[in-house]
Amino acid sequence: MIKLIASDMDGTLLNNEHKIPEKNVELIKYAQNNNIEFVVATGRAYYEALPALEENNIICDVISFNGGVVYNKNKEIISITPIQVKDLYYTIGIFKSLEISYQLYTKNTVYTHSIETDIQAYADLIRSIGSTPDLEYLRAESKKRLQNGHVTEVENIELYLNQEHNPSIKIIGISNDLDKLKKAKKLLSENENIAVTSSGANNLEVMDKNATKGHALKQVSEAYKISLKNTLAIGDNLNDEAMLKIVEYSVAMQNANPHLKEIAKYTTEKNNDEAGVADTIFELLGIHNNQKDEEINRLLINKAIEATKFSYVPYSEFKVGAALLTEDGEIYTGCNIENASYTPTNCAERTAIFKAVSEGITKFKKIAVVGGPKGNIETYCPPCGVCRQVIAEFSDENFELILGTSENNYEVYNFFKEVLPLSFTKNNLK
């Protein structure tokens, strides 16, 4: 089941006008409304990633600078991995020797020698993917970035490498001479302290070796206690490789670098200008989450059947088992426990629920119940009235009740719509 989605921005989540297509916005809202975490993983600085997100009222974690700085939903830094000054000088020395222009990305701004040179380089990158750049728009956007302090034009970038309150996160070399970039990459790879990647055909991005989207995504997944087996990552270029390699669901864009397509498990049918992110992920959510849901339902039925073996039913000999799925994916089982005075008898459903609550767990997704005389499970065994009331206490509108006789014969019911529609809950006491 997919519980966490990580998406690159440029060439992936954004279209060629640097906007998030409406369908991609719908995907993000759908994911967040269905308890699926969404995180942006971009080579951009945080301050450059925010405008497109805020324009669509999207609040999410942001992996910026290719993993150099990670921000949570509250815009707080949860990790920062600056590149060491000696490695900056090493990198700049190589770029200078090959006459490759470069930019310095710091926590607070991007230092560049020439904004116009940067505009032309970005226009070349757009042309390399088969699109036509809007130079007027690019210049207008660069002017905004300059006014906001997100870009700073300076004569000597090296004067800003070692600022105490504005650490350097990455440096980008830009050139249309691919042979120069190839040679630079080879030289840079000799330094074991840095990671070298690329977000386009005409650039090289250099960070600390631990500042990768892969490292950062792992950190985010651990913070949410979500396994990488339940994580999807999607991107279009080599700086996305680190995160695609570590997740179960790796997706390359239709417009992606050929190498990325080779390592990805899936490739979108549509490109970034056609909302390929939403098109493919909606499909994967439908296929894999539905398949996983069926697997979970069968597992719960089998766990409930197994629980009947422990039923204490010397008086009725009617064995009942229950398996309860928590919001975090844990399963608690329970059996019915009878008593000679009858009234203290506890049903299987309540046994499972009370076990979970006694350990501090109060949020549940579904419960499977099975039962029959002497453990012969031949018909459905619905909960009694008391158990329905207890279930209602700890359930939301999406809670499901599963009744069955085997993993191949069961039905799933929406609890409040089909089992206890006129329920009395804590909401009635407000």
Side-chain angles (χ1 to χ4, degrees):
M1 180 180 289
I2 297 169
K3 296 181 179 179
L4 171 62
I5 298 171
S7 176
D8 171 52
M9 289 193 80
D10 295 280
T12 304
L13 188 66
L14 304 183
N15 60 23
N16 293 336
E17 295 179 353
H18 314 288
K19 304 288 185 180
I20 304 178
E22 185 176 344
K23 287 185 178 179
N24 286 350
V25 174
E26 290 175 5
L27 168 71
I28 296 169
K29 299 295 186 183
Y30 171 85
Q32 293 178 331
N33 289 334
N34 286 273
N35 297 316
I36 300 172
E37 295 295 337
F38 181 86
V39 56
V40 161
T42 179
R44 292 186 178 206
Y46 183 65
Y47 40 83
E48 293 184 315
L50 274 185
L53 298 173
E54 292 180 338
E55 183 180 4
N56 294 282
N57 297 314
I58 295 171
I59 299 173
C60 66
D61 298 84
V62 176
I63 295 170
S64 64
F65 297 103
N66 290 328
V69 188
V70 182
Y71 291 79
N72 64 19
K73 295 175 183 176
N74 298 320
K75 300 184 178 182
E76 300 166 333
I77 294 177
I78 59 175
S79 74
I80 183 166
T81 310
I83 184 170
Q84 299 301 310
V85 175
K86 61 184 178 63
D87 296 320
L88 285 171
Y89 279 114
Y90 177 86
T91 301
I92 290 173
I94 290 173
F95 285 158
K96 279 185 171 182
S97 69
L98 295 170
E99 298 182 336
I100 294 174
S101 63
Y102 59 92
Q103 301 170 335
L104 176 67
Y105 277 64
T106 68
K107 175 177 170 288
N108 300 326
T109 190
V110 178
Y111 291 102
T112 180
H113 291 121
S114 170
I115 290 177
E116 182 58 31
T117 299
D118 297 342
I119 292 171
Q120 293 299 328
Y122 196 74
D124 290 337
L125 180 60
I126 293 173
R127 293 187 188 99
S128 72
I129 61 174
S131 300
T132 302
D134 184 340
L135 288 174
E136 185 176 338
Y137 171 81
L138 292 177
R139 288 194 175 97
E141 286 299 301
S142 294
K143 185 177 181 180
K144 287 181 186 178
R145 293 172 66 203
L146 187 63
Q147 291 172 340
N148 292 332
H150 296 165
V151 177
T152 304
E153 197 171 41
V154 297
E155 288 187 11
N156 187 355
I157 291 177
E158 293 178 54
L159 296 176
Y160 303 89
L161 300 184
N162 192 20
Q163 300 176 80
E164 183 179 354
H165 301 295
N166 186 28
S168 300
I169 309 300
K170 75 172 181 177
I171 189 164
I172 298 182
I174 304 168
S175 176
N176 288 325
D177 189 328
L178 301 187
D179 288 333
K180 286 184 177 181
L181 290 178
K182 186 177 180 179
K183 187 173 182 179
K185 185 175 182 180
K186 183 178 180 180
L187 292 170
L188 290 166
S189 65
E190 295 175 4
N191 186 335
E192 296 181 352
N193 297 321
I194 58 178
V196 184
T197 185
S198 172
S199 59
N202 68 345
N203 69 51
L204 290 176
E205 301 194 2
V206 183
M207 294 83 57
D208 182 89
K209 64 180 180 180
N210 293 315
T212 69
K213 291 186 182 183
H215 276 95
L217 181 55
K218 185 178 180 182
Q219 184 179 33
V220 171
S221 70
E222 289 173 350
Y224 283 113
K225 298 181 180 179
I226 296 174
S227 169
L228 292 171
K229 291 183 178 180
N230 300 119
T231 301
L232 180 151
I234 184 168
D236 74 306
N237 228 304
L238 298 180
N239 60 338
D240 301 309
E241 181 177 357
M243 67 175 180
L244 263 65
K245 279 186 172 181
I246 64 172
V247 300
E248 180 70 19
Y249 304 94
S250 54
V251 185
M253 294 297 295
Q254 186 256 5
N255 51 284
N257 179 287
H259 174 69
L260 204 69
K261 290 182 179 181
E262 289 178 5
I263 68 167
K265 188 175 291 185
Y266 308 97
T267 300
T268 67
E269 292 184 2
K270 296 180 179 179
N271 62 32
N272 65 301
D273 222 24
E274 301 168 315
V277 169
D279 183 68
T280 296
I281 295 182
F282 266 130
E283 183 179 355
L284 289 176
L285 288 174
I287 293 173
H288 293 282
N289 282 8
N290 286 342
Q291 285 181 348
K292 191 67 177 179
D293 214 37
E294 291 176 6
E295 292 175 12
I296 290 172
N297 292 344
R298 289 195 291 269
L299 175 63
L300 290 173
I301 287 289
N302 285 331
K303 289 284 188 181
I305 292 172
E306 185 178 343
T308 63
K309 298 176 182 178
F310 304 103
S311 292
Y312 179 77
V313 287
Y315 310 107
S316 71
E317 295 188 337
F318 194 99
K319 296 186 175 184
V320 181
L324 177 70
L325 180 69
T326 72
E327 192 176 69
D328 294 330
E330 297 295 323
I331 296 176
Y332 287 82
T333 59
C335 61
N336 54 332
I337 305 169
E338 294 183 344
N339 189 278
S341 62
Y342 290 98
T343 303
T345 293
N346 206 52
C347 298
E349 300 92 314
R350 282 179 282 152
T351 300
I353 292 172
F354 294 162
K355 279 171 68 177
V357 173
S358 72
E359 295 183 18
I361 309 299
T362 57
K363 294 183 179 180
F364 311 116
K365 297 180 70 174
K366 58 180 72 182
I367 190 170
V369 184
V370 301
K374 296 183 178 180
N376 296 319
I377 304 170
E378 298 177 351
T379 59
Y380 291 176
C381 181
C384 70
V386 174
C387 285
R388 296 184 192 205
Q389 186 62 44
V390 172
I391 290 171
E393 180 70 19
F394 299 101
S395 306
D396 61 21
E397 66 276 9
N398 296 315
F399 188 86
E400 294 178 337
L401 170 68
I402 306 168
L403 300 178
T405 59
S406 72
E407 66 173 33
N408 298 316
N409 180 34
Y410 66 86
E411 294 289 338
V412 181
Y413 305 88
N414 179 283
F415 183 76
F416 283 110
K417 289 180 181 179
E418 300 175 276
V419 182
L420 197 63
L422 297 175
S423 57
F424 181 87
T425 69
K426 53 193 171 186
N427 293 326
N428 296 102
L429 298 176
K430 293 180 180 179

